[in-house]
Amino acid sequence: TYLSSPIIQAMLPKLAELHENGNSDQFSDIYHTAAQMVSIVLGSASWLVIFFSDTLLELWTNNLSLVQQTSYLLKLMAFGTLLNGMMGVPYIAQLAIGWTRLTIITNIVSILILIPALLVLVSKYGVYGAAIVWIALNSGYLTISAHFIYKKILPGEKAKWYLDDVIYPLVASLIGVIVVKTFYPDGSSAFVSVLYLTVAIVFGACLSALAASKARASFFKIIGRNFGWQ
């Protein structure tokens, strides 16, 4: 969430300005670029947490018992947070055009469903029940809420958002992290673990950027500037 928030916050005033000026083409361009940037950054980080949860928890806590107890839970929570992050740009687009009604209705409906779902599933499955509810809630945002968003904002571009902005970048970063995970040696030292984690997130992000048609140039330009390549 911390990784994607700066991108989302930076886009809000720009989208509001473009909407106010009636510049729909540039609004669409900025919107899809921001959505792809979020997918690149949040996707690579989330897949890292999901596939290297044991490694991350062991490095953080140095407690193997705790790792065994919480690793799967971390995977579930990270996946739910990834789904939640994908709705960041559609959400700020609503704010940019001054349309808050859908968010209010969605939150009311979510609360009405969320509370009984938590009561039932947590009592039956414990903390894992809460994680399941978190994933289900954000899956609903990504499917049901998105349907209504794209009926009003950028109509006809829902499929483009799903494919170009979400699926392609996320699948690419998923492949990158899985490839590095395949070669990760069990029982590695902390130094080797950190090295593999770094390679995994960088490789995943680069593959994701290559799959992001609009954000690709911006992503590598930012990376080049930060590392002195430009």
Side-chain angles (χ1 to χ4, degrees):
T1 302
Y2 281 119
L3 290 172
S4 61
S5 291
I7 301 171
I8 295 171
Q9 293 170 5
M11 291 299 108
L12 177 56
K14 185 62 178 178
L15 290 176
E17 177 188 351
L18 293 172
H19 173 71
E20 185 68 22
N21 295 334
N23 194 333
S24 57
D25 289 341
Q26 195 173 358
F27 183 98
S28 174
D29 185 67
I30 294 292
Y31 176 93
H32 289 293
T33 300
Q36 290 179 17
M37 288 292 289
V38 168
S39 293
I40 293 169
V41 174
L42 189 58
S44 54
S46 297
W47 296 133
L48 182 81
V49 173
I50 291 169
F51 284 93
F52 285 90
S53 59
D54 291 354
T55 304
L56 288 165
L57 285 169
E58 186 175 354
L59 286 171
W60 183 23
T61 67
N62 197 29
N63 186 327
L64 292 179
S65 175
L66 183 62
V67 171
Q68 293 172 355
Q69 294 175 37
T70 59
S71 175
Y72 189 67
L73 177 63
L74 177 58
K75 295 177 189 291
L76 295 176
M77 295 301 295
F79 183 66
T81 302
L82 171 61
L83 299 180
N84 181 270
M86 293 301 99
M87 290 301 295
V89 175
Y91 172 69
I92 64 162
Q94 296 175 67
L95 299 182
I97 69 170
W99 183 44
T100 57
R101 181 182 178 187
L102 178 62
T103 299
I104 294 172
I105 294 174
T106 300
N107 287 338
I108 292 173
V109 173
S110 297
I111 290 172
L112 294 176
I113 297 174
L114 193 64
I115 293 175
L118 283 171
L119 291 174
V120 172
L121 292 177
V122 171
S123 64
K124 191 171 183 179
Y125 301 107
V127 69
Y128 291 98
I132 292 170
V133 172
W134 175 236
I135 292 174
L137 175 67
N138 289 300
S139 297
Y141 290 152
L142 201 61
T143 53
I144 301 171
S145 295
H147 172 74
F148 292 103
I149 290 171
Y150 283 96
K151 287 186 68 174
K152 185 176 181 67
I153 304 174
L154 302 175
E157 298 190 29
K158 181 173 69 173
K160 180 179 180 181
W161 175 69
Y162 275 125
L163 290 173
D164 295 346
D165 303 351
V166 177
I167 294 177
Y168 292 159
L170 289 187
V171 170
S173 58
L174 171 62
I175 292 171
V177 172
I178 289 177
V179 167
V180 177
K181 176 65 175 178
T182 302
F183 294 97
Y184 178 72
D186 293 332
S188 298
S189 64
F191 174 78
V192 173
S193 295
V194 171
L195 180 62
Y196 268 83
L197 291 172
T198 304
V199 171
I201 194 169
V202 171
F203 187 47
C206 288
L207 288 184
S208 183
L210 290 173
S213 56
K214 287 187 175 294
R216 180 166 49 235
S218 298
F219 177 81
F220 285 114
K221 185 177 181 179
I222 293 171
I223 296 298
R225 188 186 306 125
N226 289 333
F227 284 91
W229 299 338
Q230 295 180 352

